[in-house]
Amino acid sequence: MELFHSGERKVQSKLGVTKRANLVGRSIQPSIEESFQFFIESQPMFVIGSTDPEGYLWSSLVCGHPGFIRIINDRTIRIHINKQENQMLFTNIRSNLNVGIIVIEFSSRIRIRINGVANILDDETIEVKTEQVYDNCPKYIQARKIKVNNVDDKKTTKALLRKTLNNNQRMWIEQADTFFISSSNSFRKTDVSHRGGQPGFVCILNDTTLLYPDYVGNMMFNTLGNIIENPKTGLLFIDFQKGHTLQLTGDSEIIWDLTDEDKLKYPGAKRLIKYVISEVIENPDASMYLWDFINDSPFNPK
């Protein structure tokens, strides 16, 4: 497959960074480098992007004990995962085998992205054949230390499904310094990316609309390239102190030209992304881990 698809090339050309993208893009490989393999297998969580039967994107947090992710060979990852706890993910994979994964360790600010094709082996195992594997710089990752969430395993609090944000969810997002976004191109190839900034960098316009800045990145423009081909995207917010997750699915729109007011309100922004929500899922105690805050990323615009 080509290194960059047409949407990514359009953005790179528009912004005059095609040569830079070609250089950075050399890090993208179809296989898992040996230096990545131990890191991936030692991690207790990752975020995965999938597409539901209606074509909407979702970002899901998946946790397990270290070792639940196994590297079978340099092109194959096997994940032991509970179907009952990840029913939507299994349903989505049956609809569209393309997935994007980001394996991230907040304490070290290391993140590795894996895009590929998934296959459900059984009710507890998903296998992913890799197509693109690469690491990203540590920009905008807030350092956090992981610890076990001592929640009662028998707790059966149900997920909260809504079409709009309630007041608590609005406050959650307004205080967030991190989220993840899943996107896909016109061929439904899927990717997950991390976004971070100072608390409050995501603005709530109303109970169905968000606005957030797009900062300087790696110049490949994987997410923006997907958005111009397919606006459907899935956002994930994690409550690092309580272990809850907030999943949003909807449509993204790139605002290329900033006003003087925008530049003052969103320091460091190169563009803005407007996000219109179609559905909200809040999952109490979704994570078997919690994270203690250490410090902000030194790259965060202020």
Side-chain angles (χ1 to χ4, degrees), residues 3-14 18 21-22 225:
L3 183 59
F4 296 111
H5 63 73
S6 59
E8 292 165 326
R9 285 302 193 192
K10 287 177 184 177
V11 178
Q12 293 162 10
S13 177
K14 177 181 177 65
T18 301
N22 289 341

Side-chain angles (χ1 to χ4, degrees), residues 119-226:
N119 181 35
I120 298 172
L121 301 185
D122 55 48
D123 285 353
E124 295 184 347
T125 315
I126 293 173
E127 192 170 84
V128 178
K129 296 291 186 180
T130 63
E131 295 181 334
Q132 293 184 320
V133 183
Y134 54 109
D135 60 347
N136 277 161
C137 71
K139 285 180 180 176
Y140 318 122
I141 299 176
Q142 326 314 331
R144 287 181 160 90
K145 182 179 179 181
I146 195 169
K147 63 182 181 181
V148 174
N149 184 3
N150 294 315
V151 66
D152 184 355
D153 292 335
K154 297 180 180 179
K155 188 171 181 178
T156 57
T157 306
K158 293 184 178 180
L160 176 63
L161 281 67
R162 294 175 55 87
K163 295 293 184 182
T164 61
L165 297 170
N166 62 30
N167 288 336
N168 288 336
Q169 292 163 348
R170 290 175 63 138
M171 290 178 58
W172 180 346
I173 292 172
E174 288 174 337
Q175 296 169 6
D177 58 28
T178 299
F179 71 89
F180 297 87
I181 178 170
S182 295
S183 59
S184 68
N185 62 18
S186 58
F187 296 101
R188 304 178 78 190
K189 293 295 183 180
T190 308
D191 174 83
V192 181
S193 185
H194 164 279
R195 292 290 185 268
Q198 291 298 109
F201 81 113
V202 182
C203 179
I204 305 285
L205 299 185
N206 55 54
D207 60 5
T208 60
T209 311
L210 314 180
L211 193 68
Y212 65 88
D214 186 65
Y215 300 134
V216 171
N218 55 24
M219 301 299 169
M220 292 191 284
F221 295 105
N222 308 119
T223 302
L224 297 194
N226 285 342

